[in-house]
Amino acid sequence: MATKQALMTTTAANRVTTSDIPTLTGFEVKETCPDGTATRYVVKKSGGNWQKYDAGAKAWADVATQSLTAASVMTEGNTAAELNAVPKDGMTPFTGKTIDVAAAMESDDDGNLPTIDHVTVKGESGTFSLTETKDYPAITLNSNQAVDILDILVTKKETGSGTVTVYASIQNDNGDWGEYQEYTTYLGENATKAKAIKFRATFNVVNVGTDFATLTSIEVRSRTDNVAVFTEGTSACITKTYDFGNVMARAHLVVKHHTVPDTKITAQIALRNPPKTVKDEMLGTGDGVQHTVKLANLAKLASHGFHLYFDGTEQERDTYSYSPTDGQVTYTAGAGQTVTVDYIYDWEPEKWVDMTYDNSYPDRKDDTLISEQFDYEAKGDSPTGSVGTVRVTMIQLEGKETDVTLGTGTGKAVSYKLAHHARVGKIQVSPADAKWRYKENTDYLTVTAAEGAEVKVTYEWVARPLALDTLICVFDE
């Protein structure tokens, strides 16, 4: 049976440079050779000849044919197993050199082809480690006050000698940053409080070229339900999305919260049809070549929920591309590997519709709490659906009071309750020579003005933060 042969050699773009690797330890060749196929290899150091390793003599020897051809390398070269077996002392001639590799491939007429995944030169850093330190931007947990750090989840990949050490520095209530410590220091029995946290990672690798150290992600979980999270503005609480199975057209919402002056609450609802989930859709069989394939369902593809599998093993997201815009998937699978995907289509984002304010009533057990009720009933083209969620928006009002008359000076300190929560630094009192102080926690302004002087105040104000206590929503068909 006739055979086919091919020759590949490294070029200036991909030859191996070992100047940064003090100690070389061997070669690593990974290949796949189906029945009826074969490969052979020869190597060359800078300024030298093409050579093969002679295991019997424990030395490198020039191959007879220096003007390489596929046939000559197949006859005179090393197998992958022989190259992988080169001992550490056999690598000494290549230390500090540039290495070229030539590979010959042979196949029969049945269409089988060998594949070469990689040829790697392995090494050790010897008496020193290759170390890199990287600082990451600070993560604000709460700009108003320190909150409890509940957990820090670090995801990393370490192979062989590779290690990743993660350190953290936290910011206290005074805005001061602490020293970097291993992040686990902040995960004791008693929660650490911080306004912000920043991370530093140290990557260390001893065996260059074969071992790796990668930091994939850092997730910080903090508790915010026991503090005022927002200093001012608008915040929202969105419930979990539920699939009720049946189409919903009505809802009744009860929101319990503390009474906070100059705040208001609005409520919105989103109802939609459930998306469709596809499991194990077959894209094809790999052949070692890159392919771009379109999904079978292209309507309203979701950007989330996509997973690619080779022979049932999920692939890392950075090894392929997926476009929810046109449903194209680009991947490179090994020969014979079955390529399947999971994905979501007919996915619609939430379309928020206002709920109607119904009524409010004080809590029977705690007069600092109030419950507000909202209703929704689909009419006309109002949305319905079996998938639903509710959003409660908490609004802190703001404004400015100008030349508000407080009273008449007595020559002594007199306290006045302001109608709103004043912004510190935005208060002006007249007469200008009056002495005053403002207590944020009570909104009292204490003024000492000359007897008979008219006391006025101009100030900007903003409501205190509003937090929810309880939220209950009943959906109905």
Side-chain angles (χ1 to χ4, degrees):
M1 182 180 293
T3 58
K4 297 180 181 180
Q5 296 178 334
L7 178 67
M8 298 188 301
T9 63
T10 52
T11 65
N14 58 11
R15 58 173 52 107
V16 180
T17 300
T18 66
S19 57
D20 294 330
I21 310 176
T23 304
L24 303 182
T25 59
F27 287 96
E28 180 180 87
V29 180
K30 185 177 180 181
E31 64 176 17
T32 302
C33 290
D35 292 341
T37 68
T39 60
R40 294 292 187 273
Y41 303 86
V42 293
V43 298
K44 179 175 68 172
K45 63 188 176 185
S46 50
N49 294 326
W50 289 105
Q51 297 181 315
K52 68 173 290 186
Y53 187 73
D54 186 338
K58 297 183 179 180
W60 293 90
D62 292 352
V63 294
T65 307
Q66 289 296 311
S67 297
L68 300 181
T69 65
S72 72
V73 175
M74 286 302 303
T75 302
E76 303 169 17
N78 288 118
T79 65
E82 290 171 344
L83 208 55
N84 286 336
V86 175
K88 182 177 179 180
D89 55 7
M91 298 299 295
T92 303
F94 297 96
T95 302
K97 304 291 185 179
T98 298
I99 303 174
D100 279 293
V101 179
M105 297 184 292
E106 184 177 270
S107 65
D108 56 28
D109 281 340
D110 291 338
N112 294 325
L113 295 172
T115 58
I116 300 173
D117 184 76
H118 65 257
V119 179
T120 302
V121 178
K122 301 187 294 183
E124 296 176 348
S125 59
T127 58
F128 67 93
S129 298
L130 299 182
T131 302
E132 178 185 350
T133 298
K134 183 175 181 180
D135 288 332
Y136 296 88
I139 301 171
T140 300
L141 304 178
N142 181 8
S143 59
N144 189 34
Q145 66 184 98
V147 299
D148 293 344
I149 296 176
L150 301 180
D151 203 359
I152 301 173
L153 305 177
V154 174
T155 304
K156 54 187 178 180
K157 293 183 179 179
E158 300 170 325
T159 63
S161 65
T163 60
V164 181
T165 305
V166 179
Y167 304 89
S169 170
I170 61 172
Q171 185 185 47
N172 61 22
D173 266 325
N174 297 324
D176 300 323
W177 287 96
E179 296 291 329
Y180 277 101
Q181 304 181 64
E182 284 206 47
Y183 78 94
T184 54
T185 305
Y186 302 109
L187 302 179
E189 186 173 334
N190 298 318
T192 299
K193 291 183 177 293
K195 293 177 66 176
I197 186 169
K198 55 186 178 181
F199 293 94
R200 170 180 293 168
T202 299
F203 304 86
N204 185 278
V205 176
V206 176
N207 298 325
V208 180
T210 58
D211 299 341
F212 300 93
T214 305
L215 179 60
T216 305
S217 66
I218 300 177
E219 178 183 348
V220 181
R221 296 179 179 177
S222 60
R223 178 179 178 179
T224 57
D225 59 343
N226 59 338
V227 298
V229 178
F230 301 95
T231 54
E232 60 183 76
T234 300
S235 57
C237 174
I238 303 175
T239 67
K240 179 180 177 181
T241 299
Y242 293 93
D243 188 346
F244 300 103
N246 297 329
V247 174
M248 298 294 159
R250 297 187 297 174
H252 180 71
L253 173 68
V254 179
V255 181
K256 182 184 292 187
H257 61 87
H258 287 278
T259 54
V260 180
D262 297 322
T263 61
K264 70 176 184 178
I265 282 181
T266 61
Q268 297 83 34
I269 189 172
L271 291 170
R272 53 198 168 110
N273 294 320
K276 297 180 177 64
T277 300
V278 176
K279 295 287 188 181
D280 297 326
E281 181 177 305
M282 178 79 168
L283 295 190
T285 302
D287 57 7
V289 179
Q290 185 180 89
H291 290 278
T292 298
V293 181
K294 273 196 175 185
L295 299 176
N297 303 282
L298 303 177
K300 300 177 183 177
L301 288 167
S303 57
H304 60 280
F306 183 88
H307 304 279
L308 178 72
Y309 304 91
F310 294 166
D311 285 343
T313 300
E314 184 172 358
Q315 302 302 297
E316 296 290 340
R317 186 63 183 85
D318 58 0
T319 62
Y320 63 88
S321 66
Y322 160 62
S323 171
T325 303
D326 56 15
Q328 290 193 344
V329 184
T330 301
Y331 62 87
T332 303
Q337 290 185 317
T338 300
V339 183
T340 57
V341 290
D342 300 340
Y343 62 94
I344 299 171
Y345 73 101
D346 275 354
W347 181 86
E348 298 177 354
E350 292 91 350
K351 294 180 181 179
W352 298 104
V353 178
D354 288 332
M355 300 183 74
T356 303
Y357 177 78
D358 180 20
N359 200 355
S360 63
Y361 52 90
D363 188 80
R364 295 179 180 179
K365 298 181 180 180
D366 188 343
D367 58 8
T368 67
L369 292 173
I370 188 173
S371 292
E372 298 190 52
Q373 301 182 71
F374 299 84
D375 291 308
Y376 174 77
E377 183 174 0
K379 297 179 180 178
D381 59 355
S382 299
T384 61
S386 63
V387 176
T389 185
V390 169
R391 179 175 68 186
V392 176
T393 303
M394 297 158 280
I395 304 171
Q396 295 168 253
L397 303 178
E398 57 184 321
K400 183 176 181 179
E401 297 292 317
T402 304
D403 289 334
V404 177
T405 300
L406 298 179
T408 304
T410 64
K412 297 180 180 180
V414 179
S415 295
Y416 305 95
K417 175 76 170 180
L418 298 186
H420 307 282
H421 180 58
R423 295 181 190 268
V424 176
K426 299 294 183 179
I427 303 172
Q428 294 179 332
V429 176
S430 64
D433 60 353
K435 296 180 179 179
W436 59 272
R437 67 179 183 274
Y438 174 65
K439 289 188 176 181
E440 278 190 275
N441 59 334
T442 61
D443 294 332
Y444 271 97
L445 181 70
T446 302
V447 182
T448 302
E451 186 173 358
E454 185 178 30
V455 179
K456 294 184 177 182
V457 64
T458 296
Y459 64 97
E460 295 181 14
W461 59 269
V462 62
R464 288 183 172 84
L466 178 63
L468 302 184
D469 181 86
T470 306
L471 184 154
I472 301 173
C473 186
V474 178
F475 290 82
D476 191 7
E477 299 178 49

